[in-house]
Amino acid sequence: MNFKTFCFAALALLSVVNAAPLTNNTSSIDDLKKACKYGNSELHVKMNEDDAIYACVHKYNENKHNNIARPDNSVCFYLDNDVYCIDRRYTNIKECDKSSKNFDYRTCSYDILSLTNDGSERYSYRFRSYPDKERISVDAVQDQKECKARNGIVLTYNVMYQYICLYPETSSHSLKDKHCVGVDGKVYCVYEDNTIITTCNKHSKQYNHDNCMNILSEYSKANGITINEEKF
């Protein structure tokens, strides 16, 4: 297919999609999938009794100049280290439209997480906000259970929803990427995936070394644990 033919086909398909009702009609969904795919994206759909919720998710590549959905015009997320952005042309979640008065990043985040979750292990941990790489979904019980199962130390303060997970570390690479302290002569580092306090997350904009040490000091005292700051 040459470029001219491709353009006519794309325009024709777009007109069909724009005319299609926002229902769970199979042909309409199929048209949306095709239109979304033209932009090197994938349509994620959740069918309800009377309608359908869908979002066109585009894998963003900063080295390409033809990204239809990109951080400057779209809502974006991280999945591991890859950036995915929402093509609002084929998305009917109004909270995911940056140009809409209904735009709400948090609500959009939950909806996209629900739509794209493939059930793979730790998917909700891998799915992060852009550009801060912060958790979208938080499960305090699961976080603390996983931390302890991996020989980690859970530091809670007042309520269970304020917590930090410290993992024993042996990798010098981890010492550079994480906030680490000494506990009983061993090195432990804050494990961000099981920690709610972003002040101790080196990948977050909220990270602050001194504030993190103050928090760790308070939390460790409350849990009867002594920590010390080592020069790693």
Side-chain angles (χ1 to χ4, degrees):
M1 180 184 292
N2 59 37
F3 180 75
K4 185 175 181 180
T5 304
F6 172 84
C7 288
F8 277 125
L11 287 172
L13 184 56
L14 180 59
S15 65
V16 171
V17 170
N18 286 337
L22 303 182
T23 68
N24 60 1
N25 181 275
T26 303
S27 60
S28 299
I29 296 299
D30 287 342
D31 290 337
L32 283 165
K33 288 181 178 180
K34 291 176 183 177
C36 180
K37 190 174 181 180
Y38 265 117
N40 295 317
S41 308
E42 182 179 357
L43 190 76
H44 294 265
V45 183
K46 181 179 181 180
M47 309 296 286
N48 299 318
E49 289 185 5
D50 301 321
D51 60 5
I53 300 172
Y54 52 84
C56 182
V57 183
H58 173 77
K59 187 174 182 179
Y60 172 70
N61 186 336
E62 63 178 2
N63 296 318
K64 291 185 177 181
H65 301 291
N66 61 340
N67 290 287
I68 294 173
R70 53 189 186 276
D72 67 311
N73 67 6
S74 306
V75 179
C76 299
F77 307 92
Y78 276 106
L79 182 58
D80 296 325
N81 292 317
D82 294 321
V83 177
Y84 290 84
C85 298
I86 307 303
D87 186 344
R88 65 173 182 262
R89 298 176 303 168
Y90 314 122
T91 299
N92 70 343
I93 303 172
K94 57 183 181 298
E95 290 83 3
C96 292
D97 184 351
K98 269 189 170 181
S99 64
S100 170
K101 65 179 181 180
N102 297 306
F103 171 66
D104 185 302
Y105 188 87
R106 178 61 59 178
T107 301
C108 174
S109 301
Y110 284 121
D111 287 342
I112 298 301
L113 174 59
S114 176
L115 276 178
T116 60
N117 196 333
D118 59 7
S120 59
E121 185 180 5
R122 300 178 65 77
Y123 186 90
S124 62
Y125 291 91
R126 295 163 52 215
F127 187 84
R128 301 282 177 136
S129 67
Y130 179 92
D132 296 334
K133 274 195 171 182
E134 294 180 355
R135 291 269 299 279
I136 301 297
S137 177
V138 175
D139 186 332
V141 174
Q142 185 65 22
D143 279 346
Q144 294 175 40
K145 181 179 178 181
E146 288 188 3
C147 183
K148 293 176 181 177
R150 299 184 181 188
N151 297 318
I153 299 173
V154 176
L155 301 177
T156 57
Y157 193 78
N158 292 332
V159 295
M160 70 175 295
Y161 291 100
Q162 291 180 309
Y163 57 92
I164 296 173
C165 174
L166 297 177
Y167 270 16
E169 290 287 351
T170 57
S171 169
S172 59
H173 177 72
S174 296
L175 302 184
K176 297 177 182 178
D177 289 347
K178 294 181 173 63
H179 188 106
C180 303
V181 293
V183 179
D184 295 331
K186 298 180 181 179
V187 179
Y188 283 78
C189 299
V190 174
Y191 189 67
E192 296 92 343
D193 278 359
N194 296 136
T195 295
I196 195 66
I197 308 299
T198 56
T199 306
C200 292
N201 182 349
K202 273 194 172 183
H203 301 287
S204 171
K205 286 184 178 181
Q206 280 72 47
Y207 174 73
N208 182 285
H209 176 274
D210 292 339
N211 289 344
C212 179
M213 285 306 304
N214 290 333
I215 291 173
L216 284 170
S217 178
E218 288 296 320
Y219 279 41
S220 61
K221 288 178 182 177
N223 289 269
I225 296 173
T226 301
I227 66 168
N228 55 77
E229 184 176 10
E230 302 287 350
K231 301 299 182 182
F232 299 118

